[in-house]
Amino acid sequence: MRPSGIVPIALLIVSLAMSAFGGLRAAPQQPESDFRSLIEQRRPSLKRPGGPSEFYFTRGVYSSGWRWASWATDYPKADRQFMLAVNSLIDISAAEHENAVRLNDPEIRRYPFLYALEVGNMALTASEAAGLRDYLLAGGFLVIDDFWGSWEWANFEREIRRVLPHHRIVEVPLTHPIFNAVYRIDEVLQVPAIGNHWAGRTWEGDGFVPHVRGIFDEDGRLMVIINWNTDLGDAWEWFERPEYPLMYSSFAVQMGVNFIVYAMSH
Amino acid sequence: MFESLFEFLFKYRPLIFDQGAFALRASWFGLLAAGAAAAGAYLTFRTYLQVRGNSRPLDRAVLCGIRIAALAVVAFCLLRPVLVLSSVVPQENFLGVLIDDSRSMQIADTDETPRLDFVREQLGTPESALRSALADRFALRFFRFSSETDRVAAVDELEYAGSRTHVGQALERAHDELSGVPLSGLVVVSDGADNADGGLGEALLPLQASGVPVFTVGLGEEEYERDIQMNRVDMPRRVLKGASLAVDLVVTHRGYRGESVTVQVEDEGRIVATQEVVLPADGEPETVRMRFTAAEEGPRLYSFSVAPQPGEMVTRNNVRQGLMVVEDRRRKILYFEGEPRWEVKFLLRGVDDDENLQVTLLQRTAENKFFRVNVDGPDELPGGFPTQRADLFDYSGLVLGSIEANHFTPDQLRMIADFVNRRGGGLLMLGSHRSFAEGGYAGTPVADVLPVVLPAVPADSEEGFFAEVKVSATRAGESHAATQIADTEEASAARWDTLPPVTVVNPITEAKPGATVLLTAPDDLVILAFQRYGAGKSLALPIQDSWMWQMHADVPVEDETHETFWRRLLRWVVDGVPEQVAVELSSDRAEPEEVVTVTATVVDPRFEELNNSAVVAVVTRPDGSVIERQMEWTAERDGEYRTTFTAGGEGFYEVHVEASTGGELLGEDAAYLQVAAGDSEFYDSTMRGSLLRRMADDTGGRFYTSDTAAALAEDIQYVGGGVTVVEERDLWDMPFLLLLLAGLILGEWGYRRFRGLA
C-alpha cells in the first residue's frame, strides 16, 4: 500500500521544481532584515483567506544568540516548496504559504505542527520556553532540523532542557511508525546543505553521522523529533536546482510527509 | 364510631339492616292494640279541633302532632316489626382463613405493635376472641400465604418470613381446596402489600362466579406519619469498566419536608458517591442523580440508600440494590477518515488511556492509499473500508470523518445503514467539508440513519458556510452521560459555556423528530444530536475542530475536558451494542427456589438470526456446582432461545451461554443472578386498604380493620353463603323507639310549659 520507491518522488520533485523555480524566480526574495515584517504579513488565519486549511506548515520563531534570526533559515522558500510537494503527494487540506509564529504567541497552539531549525544557535527567552512547553504538553508536535555537530547539539540540549527538563532524548529506531506512516524509510540519510554539497561533503563541523532522535511524553507519544547532522530544509528549498541530488530531496520530502501524517494521526 | 352509635340506637349494626328484609309479625292482640292506638289518635285530633281556651291554632296543631306521633310509635311497636335474615347454620359451613405470612407483618406501625400481634391475639389459640367467635359458627380452615400458599393446622405455624405476597394465588388455592364443601366465605388477614407480578382480577373471577365472599382484615396503617423510601433506581445492567455513570434514584417520603438527608451509593460495601438532598413536600418524588465510576469489573452489587432518619417507621425501605455487570473488554470502533486531520490526532489522544475502547483508524492519505492505526493485525482493513458486512459488523462503533459519500459504493452505504439498524452499532458522523450534505450524503441510506435533517443544497455548492461558534449544552445535554464533562451537572453546564469556540462548515439547524439535541450553538446550529435507529443509534457532531478544546490558548495544559468529552462520547456510542450472542434473565434477582427464565439471542456474523444453532446454558451455583441446559429455539422470534432453571440457595449465580453452529463457536455471553430473600415486603408497606376493599367489594364481602374485626363473625353469619336458615330479629324493642317515645312525651310537656298552657 505504501510507496517506498524513490522514483515517483523524484519525478514529482523534478516537475514541481520546474514550476516552482520559475515562480520563485519571478518573486523577489525578501531581504533577511525584513523577516519580522514578513511574519506579520504572511500570518494566515484559520478562517480565511481562501477557505480554512486544515494544515499549516508552521515555523517556530525563537530568539537566537549572536547570529541573525536563525529561525528564518531557508524561509520562506523551503516552506513553500515543501508545501507544494505535500499537496501533490497526499490528500490533505494544507495551506500553500508559509506560517511563522513566535513561540511565546498564545496563537501558536492553533497550529499543532511546528518546524524549527538551526537550533544550534537557539537562545530561548523565558516566555518562549514556557510557550513551547505548554504547546508540547498540550499536544503540539515539533520537528527540529538543520543543526550540526556536538557544539550545536549541546546548545540545543541545554535549551530544550529549559523547555522539558524531565523528558529524556532518545534515538528513534527505524521500526518506529513515523518511518512508515506513508513512505517506508529504511535508512536515515545525511542530507547536506547545498553549500556542503558543492564543497563535496555531506557533513558539517563534527556532525558526521545523521541521527533521528525524539522526546516522548509520559504516555509514550512522540512529541519532538530531532533531525541532527542533517538538513531536510535545504533539500526542500533547493530541489529545483539540477545540481542538488534528487536522492536527498526525495528523502527529505518523504521524511517530511511522514512527519506530517504521523503528527496528525498520533 | 358511627357503627357503635347506630347499634346502640337501632339494636343491630347497619350490615344486619342491609342484609335483612323488613316485616310485621303482629298477633291478634297486637292488631287490636294498634287499632286502639289509631282510634286514640283520631280522638286526639277531634279533641284538639274543639278545644279553644287560651291556645292559638298553632299551639293546638303542634300538640296534636306530637300526641299523634307518640301514639304512632306505640302502634308501630304493637305491630311487632322484625328483620328477616338469612343466617348460616352453625357448624354446617366452612370458612377459609388466609393469613399473611410475609415479612411485612413484622412491621410495628400501629402503636408500635407488630401487625402479626393481631393474628396471635385474635386467632392464635382456640380461646382467642375472634377465632372463638368464628369457630362457634363455622368450621375453620387456616391457610398461610406469602410467595406460596399452604394449609396450616395451627396459626402458630406461621413464621412471618415470606419475602413476597401473592394474594391472588392464595385466594385461588384456598378456593380450590374448599370447593367441595359448603363455603361461607374466605377471610384474608393481611396488610394487603401484594407484590406479585400478575393482577388480582383473574383470581377474583371464580370467587365471584361461585358467590364466595371475601372478607378482608387490613392490618397496619394506611399512611405512615414519617417514612422515607428509595422508590426506584434506574441503572444500566451492563457497562464498560471505568464508565462514568449517572444513575437516577427516586426518593419519596412523608414527614420530612425541607429536611436534608444523605444519599449514598456503595459498591459492595465501598462508598462511591454521596450527595446531600433536601426533601420536597410530602409524597412528592425527588429524583436524585448520583454520579460514580464503575471501577471494578465483574458482577457488582450496588446499594443505593438514604441514611435512616429519626422517627422513621420503616428503615429497610431506605435501601435498594442493583446488580450491574462491569465488563472489562475492549469495544472496537472503526474511525474512517478521508484525509489527515487534527481531529484524528486529538480524538485518538483523548481515548488513548481508555483500556475499554479500541479506536481503529483507517485514514485515506491519497487516492486508494490508506493508513491504519490500532489494527489487530495486517489482515484488518487491508483494502480500505470493509466491503463485507461481517467485516464491518465486527466493530461496535463507526465514526465517519471527512469522507465523501462518493467514496462508498451503494452497497457500502446500505451496509453502514444496516450497521446501525440491524447490527445495533453506534454511528457518529463528524463535521467537515466532506461530510453531511457537503459530503453528498443527502438522499443516501446513511442520511436516513442520521439524527439530523441534511439541507437540500450543500453549503459548498454556493459560497460555502463557515462559522466560529461557542457551544452550549441543551437541557438534555446538561444531564446526558455523553456530554458530561465535569463532575456535577452544574459544573458540566458551566464548563460548556466557557469552552473556546470551534468552527462549523456544515450548517445543520434541524434535528429529526425523535432525535435529541445535546449541544447547540447560536443561530440554531445543531452541534451534537442523537437518535435511536433500529437496533442501534446514530449521532451527528457537525464541528470540525473539537481539538480546539484541547489546544486553544485559553485551555490550561492540564485540563482534561477534551479527553473527558471524547471518552464519554465514544463510550456512549458503543454502550449497549449487542454481540452475536446475548443472554438475558427474567430478572437479575430471584428468591430461593424461584424459577428463572434464560433467554438468548443468536445471530451470525452478518447479524442474521439463526434458528438452528446449538445453544447451551451453563449455570454455576454459588457452591461451584453447575447445571447445564440445552436451550431451544422459541419459535416465537427468530434467533431467540429459551430455557429455565430453579434457583437454589442464596448467592451469586453465573449463567454462561455458548452458541455454535456446525461445530464452530459463534459467540458466548454471561449474565448474573443474585438469589436472596428480598426486601420487597418493606417497600410500599403501608396497609393497602384500597386493594383489600376492592377484593371485598367485588365479591360481596366486607373490609375490616383490626378495630372493627370483632364484628366479622356475626357479619359472615348473615352475609356468607353455604347452608343457611331464615332468622327473624325483633325491632320493637330498639332503644331508638323508646327514646323517640320519651322524647315526644317530654316534648309535649315542654311545649306546654313554654307556652303556659294547661
Side-chain angles (χ1 to χ4, degrees):
Chain A
M1 290 301 300
R2 291 179 189 126
S4 57
I6 204 164
V7 176
I9 303 293
L11 290 172
L12 174 79
I13 286 174
V14 169
S15 62
L16 286 174
M18 291 174 71
S19 58
F21 186 64
L24 292 171
R25 279 284 173 87
Q29 286 273 7
Q30 294 285 342
E32 290 178 353
S33 57
D34 284 338
F35 279 133
R36 281 186 177 77
S37 61
L38 189 64
I39 296 168
E40 303 305 329
Q41 285 168 16
R42 300 311 303 263
R43 176 75 175 280
S45 158
L46 275 178
K47 301 177 189 175
R48 297 289 187 238
S53 294
E54 181 70 23
F55 179 81
Y56 293 86
F57 186 77
T58 302
R59 192 177 272 250
V61 179
Y62 59 84
S63 301
S64 42
W66 56 270
R67 283 183 60 191
W68 51 276
S70 59
W71 68 266
T73 305
D74 310 333
Y75 182 80
K77 186 185 167 199
D79 310 41
R80 293 178 186 176
Q81 294 213 146
F82 179 50
M83 281 298 96
L84 271 176
V86 167
N87 272 321
S88 303
L89 290 169
I90 57 174
D91 185 2
I92 188 171
S93 166
E96 294 178 350
H97 45 75
E98 65 280 6
N99 179 37
V101 183
R102 294 178 195 279
L103 296 184
N104 54 3
D105 184 344
E107 287 295 292
I108 197 170
R109 283 171 60 177
R110 286 179 173 272
Y111 311 103
F113 183 94
L114 192 63
Y115 176 74
L117 77 174
E118 287 282 6
V119 291
N121 196 38
M122 178 185 265
L124 297 174
T125 64
S127 65
E128 287 172 345
L132 183 58
R133 183 184 312 118
D134 281 358
Y135 173 86
L136 293 172
L137 295 180
F141 187 82
L142 172 64
V143 177
I144 298 289
D145 185 29
D146 190 11
F147 71 117
W148 303 79
S150 50
W151 190 90
E152 292 191 352
W153 172 266
N155 182 72
F156 167 72
E157 193 173 17
R158 187 178 60 248
E159 291 300 304
I160 203 73
R161 286 274 165 261
R162 293 175 56 209
V163 177
L164 301 169
H166 305 299
H167 291 71
R168 290 173 56 225
I169 301 173
V170 297
E171 207 74 31
V172 180
L174 284 169
T175 53
H176 191 274
I178 200 165
F179 293 112
N180 201 21
V182 178
Y183 300 104
R184 193 186 309 280
I185 306 293
D186 296 321
E187 179 189 6
V188 175
L189 298 182
Q190 186 167 51
V191 179
I194 193 166
N196 289 326
H197 171 67
W198 283 335
R201 61 175 186 265
T202 56
W203 69 92
E204 195 174 315
D206 61 349
F208 302 110
V209 180
H211 288 273
V212 179
R213 291 175 175 169
I215 300 176
F216 293 80
D217 69 8
E218 287 154 356
D219 295 312
R221 292 180 293 233
L222 184 61
M223 54 181 176
V224 182
I225 189 145
I226 305 157
N227 298 281
W228 179 40
N229 296 336
T230 190
D231 189 351
L232 302 178
D234 248 29
W236 299 335
E237 185 183 10
W238 301 115
F239 67 53
E240 86 281 8
R241 297 288 287 265
E243 63 270 32
Y244 192 80
L246 210 51
M247 173 180 69
Y248 298 128
S249 297
S250 297
F251 174 78
V253 168
Q254 286 181 340
M255 286 284 276
V257 167
N258 275 5
F259 293 163
I260 290 171
V261 172
Y262 179 86
M264 295 182 83
S265 54
H266 286 79
Chain B
M1 180 66 188
F2 168 76
E3 281 215 356
S4 301
L5 184 63
F6 190 94
E7 190 176 359
F8 170 73
L9 293 173
F10 297 98
K11 195 177 164 189
Y12 308 114
R13 289 178 300 107
L15 178 96
I16 306 296
F17 285 90
D18 274 353
Q19 297 296 316
F22 181 78
L24 297 173
R25 293 284 187 261
S27 60
W28 63 269
F29 175 75
L31 286 171
L32 196 63
Y42 176 73
L43 285 173
T44 301
F45 178 69
R46 293 279 301 181
T47 305
Y48 274 103
L49 277 181
Q50 292 163 8
V51 171
R52 289 294 182 264
N54 58 350
S55 63
R56 296 174 303 167
L58 177 64
D59 295 334
R60 292 194 294 277
V62 169
L63 292 171
C64 178
I66 292 173
R67 183 65 61 85
I68 290 171
L71 288 169
V73 171
V74 171
F76 177 73
C77 291
L78 292 171
L79 289 172
R80 200 186 155 219
V82 294
L83 275 176
V84 182
L85 293 158
S86 168
S87 170
V88 296
V89 179
Q91 303 305 325
E92 290 286 320
N93 297 286
F94 286 77
L95 184 71
V97 181
L98 290 73
I99 304 173
D100 191 340
D101 193 26
S102 69
R103 300 167 79 186
S104 60
M105 292 289 281
Q106 298 175 19
I107 295 172
D109 55 343
T110 306
D111 301 330
E112 298 186 2
T113 306
R115 296 168 182 175
L116 60 89
D117 276 13
F118 173 85
V119 179
R120 285 180 177 160
E121 287 169 10
Q122 296 292 324
L123 298 166
T125 63
E127 293 76 31
S128 302
L130 180 59
R131 180 166 168 180
S132 152
L134 292 169
D136 287 346
R137 296 167 170 87
F138 308 100
L140 302 180
R141 295 292 180 266
F142 289 98
F143 298 84
R144 69 174 178 193
F145 68 93
S146 52
S147 53
E148 301 291 330
T149 304
D150 294 307
R151 173 91 178 271
V152 288
V155 174
D156 56 13
E157 285 181 32
L158 273 69
E159 295 168 346
Y160 308 102
S163 51
R164 288 192 183 172
T165 308
H166 294 189
V167 181
Q169 181 200 63
L171 290 171
E172 283 174 355
R173 168 76 200 283
H175 185 222
D176 287 349
E177 191 150 323
L178 300 173
S179 59
V181 298
L183 183 61
S184 284
L186 297 174
V187 176
V188 175
V189 183
S190 170
D191 51 26
D194 183 73
N195 42 32
D197 295 332
L200 192 61
E202 285 185 18
L204 296 179
L205 284 175
L207 294 168
Q208 289 168 319
S210 49
V212 176
V214 176
F215 301 86
T216 53
V217 181
L219 304 179
E221 300 293 318
E222 284 200 74
E223 202 170 79
Y224 292 145
E225 241 175 71
R226 285 165 76 78
D227 188 49
I228 297 174
Q229 177 165 299
M230 182 66 71
N231 247 24
R232 204 176 70 233
V233 175
D234 291 330
M235 63 184 281
R237 285 190 169 187
R238 284 173 191 246
V239 295
L240 282 177
K241 185 181 174 186
S244 298
L245 300 170
V247 173
D248 285 338
L249 318 178
V250 179
V251 179
T252 54
H253 79 100
R254 283 210 163 269
Y256 293 96
R257 177 180 185 168
E259 292 189 27
S260 177
V261 296
T262 305
V263 181
Q264 71 179 29
V265 184
E266 289 179 39
D267 176 2
E268 299 192 351
R270 188 171 56 88
I271 297 171
V272 292
T274 59
Q275 194 174 324
E276 290 295 316
V277 177
V278 177
L279 294 172
D282 283 8
E284 202 174 290
E286 173 73 5
T287 302
V288 185
R289 176 156 290 185
M290 300 297 287
R291 298 176 188 284
F292 55 96
T293 303
E296 303 292 332
E297 67 177 285
R300 309 294 299 179
L301 189 64
Y302 285 91
S303 293
F304 305 87
S305 62
V306 180
Q309 300 300 303
E312 255 199 276
M313 187 57 70
V314 181
T315 55
R316 294 173 76 166
N317 62 358
N318 289 29
V319 187
R320 278 203 188 262
Q321 291 187 320
L323 186 65
M324 185 159 59
V325 180
V326 181
E327 297 177 321
D328 187 17
R329 64 172 173 182
R330 299 198 95 182
R331 289 281 194 172
K332 288 184 73 175
I333 297 174
L334 172 59
Y335 178 12
F336 188 30
E337 187 58 79
E339 58 182 317
R341 289 211 302 164
W342 290 117
E343 199 71 340
V344 176
K345 167 181 177 144
F346 288 97
L347 186 156
L348 294 181
R349 183 188 166 97
V351 299
D352 197 28
D353 288 343
D354 195 327
E355 293 179 355
N356 299 109
L357 290 178
Q358 179 182 346
V359 181
T360 299
L361 172 68
L362 177 68
Q363 181 173 277
R364 184 176 61 183
T365 53
E367 192 62 31
N368 290 324
K369 292 178 184 171
F370 298 96
F371 176 56
R372 299 173 296 170
V373 176
N374 290 341
V375 287
D376 286 336
D379 296 334
E380 187 174 355
L381 306 167
F385 193 81
T387 54
Q388 302 297 317
R389 276 171 168 67
D391 293 337
L392 179 61
F393 292 2
D394 190 37
Y395 299 93
S396 299
L398 173 63
V399 180
L400 293 179
S402 183
I403 183 74
E404 66 281 1
N406 279 345
H407 175 82
F408 301 105
T409 64
D411 186 56
Q412 282 177 316
L413 289 170
R414 274 193 299 276
M415 207 164 78
I416 293 170
D418 286 347
F419 175 80
V420 179
N421 185 24
R422 192 169 186 81
R423 187 255 180 275
L427 169 69
L428 169 64
M429 183 175 278
L430 307 179
S432 83
H433 60 283
R434 290 177 180 167
S435 57
F436 297 103
E438 291 64 34
Y441 283 92
T444 68
V446 176
D448 295 339
V449 174
L450 289 174
V452 292
V453 178
L454 301 187
V457 182
D460 277 350
S461 64
E462 298 290 334
E463 292 182 349
F465 178 86
F466 185 92
E468 190 172 42
V469 296
K470 275 188 78 73
V471 171
S472 58
T474 61
R475 187 67 199 94
E478 283 177 5
S479 57
H480 198 276
T483 43
Q484 290 300 297
I485 53 174
D487 289 338
T488 65
E489 208 170 295
E490 296 74 24
S492 180
R495 187 70 187 109
W496 277 115
D497 290 338
T498 55
L499 281 177
V502 288
T503 61
V504 177
V505 294
N506 310 100
I508 293 172
T509 55
E510 191 180 351
K512 286 181 182 169
T516 304
V517 177
L518 299 176
L519 298 176
T520 186
D523 299 325
D524 296 328
L525 286 173
V526 174
I527 299 300
L528 178 62
F530 80 91
Q531 73 172 3
R532 302 276 171 189
Y533 189 89
K537 57 176 168 280
S538 64
L539 296 89
L541 181 65
I543 55 174
Q544 58 171 0
D545 49 6
S546 71
W547 58 271
M548 290 308 294
W549 295 333
Q550 169 70 20
M551 286 299 282
H552 194 279
D554 291 348
V555 179
V557 169
E558 63 278 4
D559 187 273
E560 291 278 319
T561 305
H562 177 265
E563 289 91 333
T564 304
F565 170 68
W566 276 107
R567 217 161 33 231
R568 294 195 172 168
L569 181 66
L570 290 187
R571 274 176 171 262
W572 193 75
V573 165
V574 296
D575 182 47
V577 173
E579 299 295 325
Q580 278 182 249
V581 176
V583 60
E584 270 196 7
L585 305 180
S586 48
S587 169
D588 58 10
R589 188 184 179 108
E591 301 288 324
E593 307 306 323
E594 187 175 327
V595 175
V596 178
T597 303
V598 184
T599 308
T601 310
V602 180
V603 294
D604 69 6
R606 295 163 51 89
F607 278 70
E608 304 281 353
E609 293 86 357
L610 291 174
N611 298 334
N612 56 353
S613 301
V615 186
V616 179
V618 178
V619 181
T620 306
R621 295 194 185 102
D623 61 6
S625 60
V626 296
I627 316 168
E628 191 170 308
R629 293 271 189 279
Q630 294 291 330
M631 298 184 73
E632 302 295 332
W633 177 46
T634 61
E636 295 165 10
R637 281 184 55 193
D638 285 335
E640 187 175 87
Y641 297 76
R642 191 174 295 153
T643 189
T644 59
F645 71 94
T646 303
E650 295 192 358
F652 272 111
Y653 288 63
E654 185 195 56
V655 182
H656 185 263
V657 172
E658 273 188 13
S660 54
T661 183
E664 189 180 336
L665 183 69
L666 279 169
E668 55 192 330
D669 194 17
Y672 297 87
L673 176 74
Q674 185 202 6
V675 176
D679 282 340
S680 56
E681 281 291 310
F682 295 98
Y683 298 92
D684 299 321
S685 58
T686 50
M687 190 253 284
R688 297 269 298 281
S690 57
L691 181 94
L692 296 171
R693 282 188 189 91
R694 189 191 137 205
M695 284 163 59
D697 291 347
D698 288 359
T699 56
R702 290 199 80 198
F703 167 73
Y704 302 84
T705 64
S706 53
D707 293 334
T708 61
L712 180 64
E714 191 187 27
D715 289 356
I716 303 174
Q717 183 180 346
Y718 296 108
V719 177
V723 181
T724 59
V725 291
V726 173
E727 184 182 304
E728 292 186 351
R729 293 213 171 182
D730 284 327
L731 295 175
W732 66 270
D733 53 351
M734 288 191 297
F736 172 75
L737 294 177
L738 181 64
L739 290 171
L740 180 62
L741 190 60
L744 290 168
I745 293 167
L746 281 172
E748 183 182 348
W749 175 77
Y751 191 81
R752 285 178 184 277
R753 287 284 305 247
F754 174 68
R755 293 287 303 147
L757 301 174

